[in-house]
Each structure stands twice: as C-alpha cells, then as structure tokens.
Amino acid sequence: MDDRGGSFVAVRRISQGLERGNTCHSTSGSTAWLGRGLSCVCAQSRESDARPSFDLTPSQEECLQRLQNRIDIAYDSSIPEHQEALRALWNAAFPEEELRGLISEQWKEMGWQGKDPSTDFRGGGFISLENLLFFATNFPKSFKDLLWKLEGDRSVWEYPFAVAGVNITFMLIQMLDLEAVSFNSTVKPRTMVGAVFLKFLSENESAFDLLYCITFKLMDHQWLAMRASYMDFNTVMKATRRQLERELLLEDITRLEDLPSYSLLTR
C-alpha cells in the first residue's frame, strides 16, 4: 500500500534507563481492528522490530504484565463496567446532550463509524476506550479541541475523532512491543523505544494512557502541519510514529512530561 492508500470514512469538519524503575506506581485517572476501511500503517511489521529482548527486573515485569493484561481485554458490550465506561465517555464529550442509548446514531457525532461503537473497538480492545476516557478526564481542553477540530486551518474532510483514537492505541501497542501472547507470559521489549517506555511505566502506571494523549495531540499537530486531508491519514500516522520514536530516545528525557510534544497538551 502506498502512503496515500486505503479507504477511509471521513467526517466533514464542523465549524465551531530501564534499571531506574523498580516499583510500579499508580496515579489517579481512568483507566485492532481499525475502523472499517481505515487501514493504518502501524499494523505493518518492520525489519527493525527483530531485535534482542531486554532483561527485566521482577517489578518491571509485573508492571508490564499488568499493562499487557489490560491490552488483552476485548470490549464486551454485555459487561456493565464496559457499558458505564462508554456512557462516561459520552458524558465527557457531550455533557449537555443526553445519550439515548448505547446503540444510537448519536455516536457518529464523536467520529464512530456507525451507531454501535462496540464494532469499532475490535482492534483496540477495552483499553482504547480507557485511553479516550483518560484523555477526556485529564486533558479536557485538548480532548474537546480535537473532537471539534477547533485549532488550525482544517481540511474540509477530516479524520473521524473516535476511530482515529482507536488507531492510535493500536499503533502504540505495536510500536512499544506490548502485544500479549496466548500462554500469558510477559512479552519483553525488543527495541530501545520499548525499553525506554518500560522505564516510564515502572514509575507511572498510567504511562501508556499519558503517552496516548501526547500521541493524539502530536498526530493532530502533524495533520495540520502537513495540511492533510482524509486520504493522508496513513502518511500522518507514519510521521507521528517517527517523531514520537525520536522524542522517546532523546538523552535528556527522564519522564513523559519531558517529551517536547507534551507541551502541545492543555488541560
């Protein structure tokens, strides 16, 4: 597939070092299929992924296993916790509009591709919903800015917000080597980027959720800088991943808040 390939359901713009981490710390906050036809370059394997794994301390392995357990949970519309998380996402996005049902045409307003968001979670799993909810809760201004495309000179045809969010979850899982395996053992990072992230994870259990927020905002920043439209989504995702990898490998980064792209976020 070339950089501009892949079909995509667009939405029209609405004007308006490893050894440092020895314990796993929890922080406050909430805790792939890609959209129908929304193919994502992040699903493609790369030769550079075939690298030796890094040794982990027992506490680092525990932190990583917990994250991989989250990743392994599929969204299930019959589970009350999952239903409540979806309602909470709606309330965070549209606090003044009552949701008529978990299956409703209203969901298209958020950038889901149909009236049932559960069909869009298949590739990202429940964690992709948790990521969106964490974003809405911890960075509500940035969340609303992206949802309503309030910043910059936008394309007439924009990326759908919610489905793009699922794609970002999926891309991060692959970039950081976080795929869990069927026999439930911890998958060690095979790249320096994955190893650096594990240091942050061992110091902040919400590191994946925070990195998601940074990445979503960075993706939109790249989108605007490239003056992108819906056919450019894969190209923008490639550029976002490259920039994120560069920032994670900067020598003076000791926490995710030190990443240059963190400054793009506003609460």
Side-chain angles (χ1 to χ4, degrees):
M1 176 182 300
D2 75 346
D3 287 351
R4 298 175 65 87
S7 59
F8 172 73
V9 178
V11 291
R12 190 158 189 157
R13 179 168 59 87
I14 300 174
S15 299
Q16 255 195 250
L18 272 176
E19 64 277 4
R20 289 188 52 198
N22 293 320
T23 58
C24 195
H25 302 287
S26 297
T27 60
S28 61
S30 160
T31 29
W33 173 109
L34 312 165
R36 281 192 303 274
L38 178 53
S39 58
C40 177
V41 69
C42 54
Q44 299 172 4
S45 62
R46 306 188 309 173
E47 291 182 3
S48 60
D49 288 340
R51 297 182 182 179
S53 63
F54 294 81
D55 290 331
L56 309 180
T57 66
S59 59
Q60 289 168 343
E61 187 164 343
E62 180 183 349
C63 291
L64 184 55
Q65 183 66 69
R66 276 203 291 269
L67 177 56
Q68 289 172 343
N69 288 343
R70 286 180 63 196
I71 290 168
D72 205 36
I73 298 173
Y75 179 83
D76 186 339
S77 58
S78 69
I79 297 177
E81 178 189 2
H82 294 195
Q83 296 173 6
E84 289 308 309
L86 194 55
R87 289 191 184 95
L89 179 63
W90 176 268
N91 292 333
F94 306 104
E96 298 180 0
E97 182 178 348
E98 183 179 357
L99 179 65
R100 292 188 291 272
L102 293 181
I103 298 178
S104 169
E105 294 290 334
Q106 290 173 284
W107 288 108
K108 295 179 182 179
E109 298 176 40
M110 195 184 294
W112 301 106
Q113 295 189 104
K115 61 184 181 180
D116 183 2
S118 68
T119 62
D120 288 350
F121 285 125
R122 290 175 185 164
F126 183 57
I127 193 172
S128 60
L129 173 54
E130 291 182 309
N131 290 158
L132 282 166
L133 192 52
F134 181 94
F135 192 11
T137 302
N138 291 273
F139 299 96
K141 184 179 186 307
S142 286
F143 179 88
K144 291 289 184 66
D145 287 347
L146 299 189
L147 172 63
W148 295 110
K149 310 294 192 297
L150 296 179
E151 295 182 341
D153 184 14
R154 314 299 306 202
S155 168
V156 174
W157 293 100
E158 282 283 329
Y159 62 85
F161 171 79
V163 174
V166 176
N167 275 266
I168 289 170
T169 298
F170 188 79
M171 182 269 280
L172 287 175
I173 290 170
Q174 292 215 329
M175 185 186 82
L176 300 172
D177 290 327
L178 295 175
E179 294 94 341
V181 293
S182 58
F183 50 88
N184 206 32
S185 64
T186 305
V187 178
K188 298 178 182 179
R190 299 170 298 162
T191 65
M192 276 303 301
V193 169
V196 167
F197 170 75
L198 182 55
K199 178 193 72 172
F200 300 136
L201 180 65
S202 64
E203 296 168 352
N204 178 359
E205 198 168 11
S206 296
F208 185 81
D209 304 271
L210 178 56
L211 186 60
Y212 171 89
C213 300
I214 295 169
T215 305
F216 209 147
K217 189 65 175 177
L218 174 60
M219 186 278 290
D220 190 74
H221 182 76
Q222 297 276 14
W223 180 275
L224 291 172
M226 297 168 66
R227 301 184 66 84
S229 187
Y230 70 98
M231 287 296 290
D232 301 310
F233 186 79
N234 285 347
T235 304
V236 173
M237 287 293 285
K238 279 184 176 181
T240 301
R241 174 168 174 164
R242 285 194 300 267
Q243 178 63 25
L244 193 61
E245 289 174 330
R246 282 193 293 265
E247 292 189 16
L248 285 167
L249 295 178
L250 292 173
E251 291 184 359
D252 57 347
I253 302 300
T254 60
R255 56 185 191 141
L256 288 175
E257 290 86 348
D258 294 331
L259 294 176
S261 291
Y262 178 81
S263 64
L264 298 172
L265 286 168
T266 53
R267 295 181 185 274

